[in-house]
Amino acid sequence: VLDTITELAIKKADGNAALTELTVAGGSTVDLTAVASYYGRTVAAEDSSFRWSVSGGIGSIDDSGVFKAADTEQKLLGKVTVSYGDVTAEAEVAVMPANPFADMKTHWSKEYVNELYFEGVLTGARGADGKLYYRPNDSMTRQEFVVALMRYLDVDVTLYEKAEIPFVDAASIAKWAQNSVKAAYVLGYMSGSSSGGKLYAKPTSTISRQEAMTILSRTKDFPEADLNTLSAFSDSGKIADWAKTALAQMAQQKIISGSKGKLNPTGKVTRAEVAKMLYMLSEL
């Protein structure tokens, strides 16, 4: 039994990575946990063993680390702090209006996008008017998709910083996506595209629906695929052989349902569609 520790970290109760920043919806509740260590060795402790506090008018937190965000119509910035003795950890917290995106008020994917935004999986961009936009109908590049996927899976991509990847176009991967691509390759989710005996990541190319669904299917242990499921879609003949099993599995699990009887496998996947796929996966 220890009465002192050397290091503290804040995590979500259902997460793996240490938090240094957190974005939540106004009025929402997040269960946080403190992880203490003594010279590198994790110490078993109840969250109520620590002292929790918040600053900046962002909400309240109880003795067990359950944070209740304030209801707000504008962005609030503050901190959650946990401490034990002289050792302290803190996370920057942004409390956002429940509907943060200016272009998502009536969009069909609003529920999926907002949920994943506050989970830290999806991000938007500020417009010239200072408002936050998601651009739901825009397509996604392969590297943007992989970054979102790694966030969704709660993978600590910094652990893969020194991993080697075989892609001949690795130099074209954006700096902000490099560790995510490395992690996705090492974990077996992203295998690349073969051409002329060489393997390409094609990071800035738009990802197709069948490419996105194939990568997503690799993150789950789905039941054996029934390829007859694909016969329900009039354009099933356009599905690449390498993608048939994945698309059949995704259809069987109701993660995808198609549009007007079609899967459009070679079409560009939109940011809204990616949000729905990730949300539906999380519901399994």
Side-chain angles (χ1 to χ4, degrees):
V1 177
L2 300 175
D3 58 7
T4 185
I5 59 174
T6 58
E7 189 175 1
L8 261 178
I10 299 173
K11 296 183 180 181
K12 285 185 178 180
D14 59 353
N16 297 315
L19 292 175
T20 55
E21 57 184 18
L22 177 67
T23 301
V24 298
S28 66
T29 299
V30 183
D31 188 3
L32 300 175
T33 188
V35 180
S37 60
Y38 182 73
Y39 293 107
R41 306 186 75 172
T42 301
V43 177
E46 296 290 335
D47 287 326
S48 56
S49 301
F50 307 97
R51 182 161 56 87
W52 296 87
S53 63
V54 297
S55 60
I58 56 175
S60 61
I61 194 164
D62 67 17
D63 293 339
S64 297
V66 178
F67 172 67
K68 171 69 174 179
D71 287 313
T72 182
E73 294 184 357
Q74 61 184 3
K75 183 178 181 179
L76 301 175
L77 296 175
K79 292 180 180 179
V80 167
T81 303
V82 63
S83 60
Y84 186 87
D86 295 331
V87 183
T88 298
E90 60 184 26
E92 302 280 349
V93 178
V95 178
M96 306 292 290
N99 296 306
F101 296 105
D103 55 348
M104 294 298 296
K105 305 300 182 184
T106 60
H107 198 274
W108 63 264
S109 66
K110 172 183 172 181
E111 175 187 356
Y112 313 126
V113 172
N114 286 355
E115 179 76 17
L116 293 170
Y117 170 75
F118 289 116
E119 287 292 324
V121 175
L122 299 176
T123 60
R126 295 284 171 187
D129 56 3
K131 295 180 180 179
L132 189 63
Y133 291 86
Y134 181 68
R135 308 186 321 276
N137 299 319
D138 284 3
S139 57
M140 257 193 177
T141 64
R142 290 166 63 88
Q143 62 186 1
E144 287 173 336
F145 178 80
V146 169
V147 169
L149 179 61
M150 293 300 99
R151 289 175 181 157
Y152 162 74
L153 295 174
D154 198 23
V155 175
D156 185 353
V157 298
T158 61
L159 299 176
Y160 300 86
E161 184 175 2
K162 296 182 179 180
E164 295 185 1
I165 49 178
F167 307 122
V168 296
D169 56 347
S172 63
I173 301 171
K175 185 176 181 180
W176 49 263
Q178 287 175 1
N179 288 347
S180 292
V181 172
K182 289 178 180 179
Y185 175 77
V186 172
L187 294 171
Y189 303 140
M190 181 180 182
S191 57
S193 177
S194 180
S195 178
K198 297 180 179 179
L199 204 58
Y200 294 82
K202 297 184 178 180
T204 59
S205 296
T206 300
I207 192 167
S208 70
R209 289 170 57 81
Q210 63 184 358
E211 288 172 335
M213 287 184 273
T214 297
I215 291 174
L216 289 178
S217 72
R218 292 171 179 159
T219 69
K220 292 286 187 178
D221 186 17
F222 286 129
E224 185 175 348
D226 180 3
L227 297 184
N228 291 325
T229 303
L230 300 177
S231 63
F233 303 99
S234 61
D235 59 349
S236 59
K238 296 181 179 180
I239 302 172
D241 289 341
W242 50 263
K244 288 180 178 178
T245 295
L247 268 65
Q249 290 172 326
M250 298 283 275
Q252 287 169 211
Q253 297 298 317
K254 310 299 183 185
I255 296 170
I256 57 172
S257 56
S259 177
K260 297 180 180 180
K262 295 183 178 181
L263 280 178
N264 189 23
T266 59
K268 298 177 180 179
V269 69
T270 67
R271 290 169 58 83
E273 290 168 342
V274 168
K276 182 180 180 181
M277 290 178 193
L278 292 176
Y279 182 90
M280 296 301 289
L281 272 178
S282 68
E283 293 296 292
L284 292 180

